[in-house]
Amino acid sequence: MSYLDLLTGASSEPRIVLHYGNRNGTEHVFGARLAELARHLPNLTIVNHFTRPDVHDRPDFVGRLSAASVSDDLIEARARFYLCGPEDMMRTITHDLIARGVPRFEIFVERFKSAEPPVGLTGGPHELRFSKLGKSITWTPGSGTILACAEAAGLAVPSGCRVGQCESCALTLLAGQVHHLVESPAIDDGLCLTCQAIPTSDVVLDG
């Protein structure tokens, strides 16, 4: 919504297709505002998915939102995909988009909080070393995530994720092991998402 509110309707603005899942028209969150934006933004297309439509509803799709509803032309145009929703939904859609040929690095997900650390992964203390800063700090179970620990110690580490730039806190893991509290494509690239990770050993990060 914040991104759409910044657009002016100029023809030079990017094409945007919003696939939006709701139960029905009565529970269509931001429905009126999105309809208003669509009238003023010629490059915006809204695709509504209703899981339990009322008799008067006319959604584009009936059922849960899925990668199958994404048009082939968007994939062929190398569109970027931004996902926000339940963890299982985002995991499934990410998997299915990749199966349809979307590069993993063009899929972005937004999560609003970390899961609780699993039992057995709250040991420590562990040393966190940030190679570029030349600083080392100590992590304990009460420190929270690596990012929270670094911020509490006054270290200037990437933290754009705090303002919605998901995965901008990623640092290369040079040594040691971490556990991510949520799944993420970035893990496959040898990166540590510091806002979602806790160390399970002493760790060296390229930050």
Side-chain angles (χ1 to χ4, degrees):
M1 289 296 296
S2 59
Y3 176 67
L4 295 178
D5 280 332
L6 290 174
L7 299 178
T8 64
S11 59
S12 59
E13 290 175 339
R15 175 189 177 192
I16 302 167
V17 180
L18 172 62
H19 284 265
Y20 188 30
N22 286 275
R23 185 185 297 263
N24 50 51
T26 303
E27 301 181 34
H28 193 190
V29 182
F30 298 121
R33 177 58 178 152
L34 286 170
E36 179 185 2
L37 286 168
R39 288 193 294 269
H40 295 93
L41 300 175
N43 290 348
L44 171 63
T45 300
I46 298 175
V47 182
N48 285 307
H49 301 247
F50 289 173
T51 56
R52 298 180 184 176
D54 294 330
V55 292
H56 59 275
D57 287 333
R58 295 294 183 269
D60 300 287
F61 291 92
V62 175
R64 295 186 181 279
L65 199 156
S66 72
S69 59
V70 176
S71 61
D72 291 336
D73 67 306
L74 283 175
I75 294 177
E76 292 168 0
R78 293 290 297 273
R80 292 181 178 178
F81 292 85
Y82 296 85
L83 310 180
C84 181
E87 190 70 30
D88 288 345
M89 182 203 79
M90 293 193 295
R91 183 185 303 111
T92 299
I93 292 179
T94 296
H95 175 273
D96 292 346
L97 286 174
I98 291 172
R100 291 187 62 186
V102 177
R104 186 184 291 270
F105 58 80
E106 290 183 350
I107 303 173
F108 304 85
V109 299
E110 182 172 357
R111 300 178 176 93
F112 293 101
K113 67 177 183 178
S114 299
E116 292 297 322
V119 176
L121 289 174
T122 55
H126 299 303
E127 180 186 30
L128 304 179
R129 178 165 181 77
F130 297 84
S131 61
K132 290 181 179 177
L133 294 175
K135 301 285 187 178
S136 293
I137 58 176
T138 299
W139 179 92
T140 65
S143 301
T145 64
I146 291 175
L147 177 59
C149 184
E151 289 178 331
L155 300 186
V157 294
S159 58
C161 53
R162 298 291 196 208
V163 292
Q165 299 170 352
C166 291
E167 301 184 4
S168 60
C169 68
L171 295 176
T172 300
L173 183 63
L174 300 177
Q177 295 181 330
V178 300
H179 172 78
H180 285 87
L181 302 177
V182 296
E183 294 184 8
S184 170
I187 299 172
D188 292 344
D189 299 327
L191 298 180
C192 169
L193 296 182
T194 60
C195 78
Q196 300 291 342
I198 58 174
T200 57
S201 69
D202 291 347
V203 164
V204 180
L205 295 166
D206 185 24

